[in-house]
Amino acid sequence: MKRAFILIAVCFAAIACAQQQPPKPVTMKELLLQELHETHDQKDWFVSAKEATAGLTPEQSAWTDGKGNHSVGQLVYHLAFWNQDALARLKGSSQSFNGNNDDTFNKYDSKDWDATVKKFNDVMNEIEKFVENADEAHLAKMAPLVAHVCNHNAYHIGEIVMVRKEQGAWNPDNGVK
């Protein structure tokens, strides 16, 4: 009897799965916007920058482990810098940064924590608007750069969470235990 019940349940599950419609294909624009938001302000498979930086004080933003790793503030400053650079290239600038990448971390000052987070958010909002308003031809050319922004953000957001964990300033209820 138990086997019959399991067999019937499996059959119903198979029928239900067969009746589901395949997911609607997403456009490149929809996919890029999803990735931008997931690394900016919408938690999904991992926390976004919004959750990763939430509730941090300027003093906490400057904390380092003393082993040469960057502080949260340095990481956010770095992301804001490179995202601003990417936005300029999306808008057609041919200028490229030819300085020392260490400067994109080391010029951070904890007195500017709120302004640094605001700059990151403002630049991300502009990139998102750019993608929303781009025509498909231009977007096709710029998609690799937008994808790079998303990957770069995700990489450093992971570092931010790890720094906060090491510091004891991470609440696991934010999404990473």
Side-chain angles (χ1 to χ4, degrees):
M1 182 68 164
K2 187 176 180 181
R3 286 184 188 185
F5 178 74
I6 291 172
L7 181 59
I8 292 170
V10 169
C11 288
F12 278 120
I15 292 169
C17 287
Q19 291 177 346
Q20 289 181 354
Q21 297 294 324
K24 175 186 164 255
V26 298
T27 66
M28 181 170 32
K29 183 180 287 194
E30 290 168 333
L31 179 62
L32 291 173
L33 285 169
Q34 176 183 339
E35 294 295 317
L36 286 165
H37 282 292
E38 287 176 3
T39 63
H40 176 210
D41 57 9
Q42 294 176 1
K43 182 170 45 173
D44 195 4
W45 281 32
F46 51 86
V47 299
S48 69
K50 178 181 177 181
E51 287 86 25
T53 59
L56 208 60
T57 67
E59 295 76 25
Q60 290 171 318
S61 77
W63 182 89
T64 64
D65 63 3
K67 299 175 186 172
N69 294 309
H70 296 107
S71 70
V72 170
Q74 288 173 313
L75 293 165
V76 175
Y77 186 91
H78 170 81
L79 287 174
F81 177 90
W82 282 112
N83 290 351
Q84 181 69 55
D85 182 81
L87 178 61
R89 287 187 281 152
L90 288 169
K91 291 181 174 181
S93 174
S94 61
Q95 298 257 328
S96 63
F97 178 70
N98 61 3
N100 184 339
N101 189 51
D102 289 342
D103 291 343
T104 69
F105 294 99
N106 297 334
K107 289 189 176 182
Y108 173 69
D109 185 331
S110 63
K111 292 181 286 202
D112 299 325
W113 171 240
D114 291 336
T116 301
V117 172
K118 183 179 182 329
K119 181 176 181 183
F120 172 83
N121 287 322
D122 290 348
V123 170
M124 287 300 295
N125 287 331
E126 283 191 61
I127 292 172
E128 291 155 6
K129 284 180 192 167
F130 177 87
V131 170
E132 285 173 8
N133 296 321
D135 63 59
E136 290 299 318
H138 188 64
L139 193 58
K141 290 181 203 169
M142 301 315 261
L145 177 57
V146 176
H148 180 78
V149 166
C150 297
N151 290 334
H152 188 235
N153 286 349
Y155 173 83
H156 287 300
I157 289 166
E159 286 185 301
I160 289 167
V161 171
M162 288 305 300
V163 169
R164 291 193 67 176
K165 282 181 160 189
E166 197 171 323
Q167 181 185 17
W170 180 251
N171 180 350
D173 292 338
N174 289 340
V176 180
K177 305 287 183 214

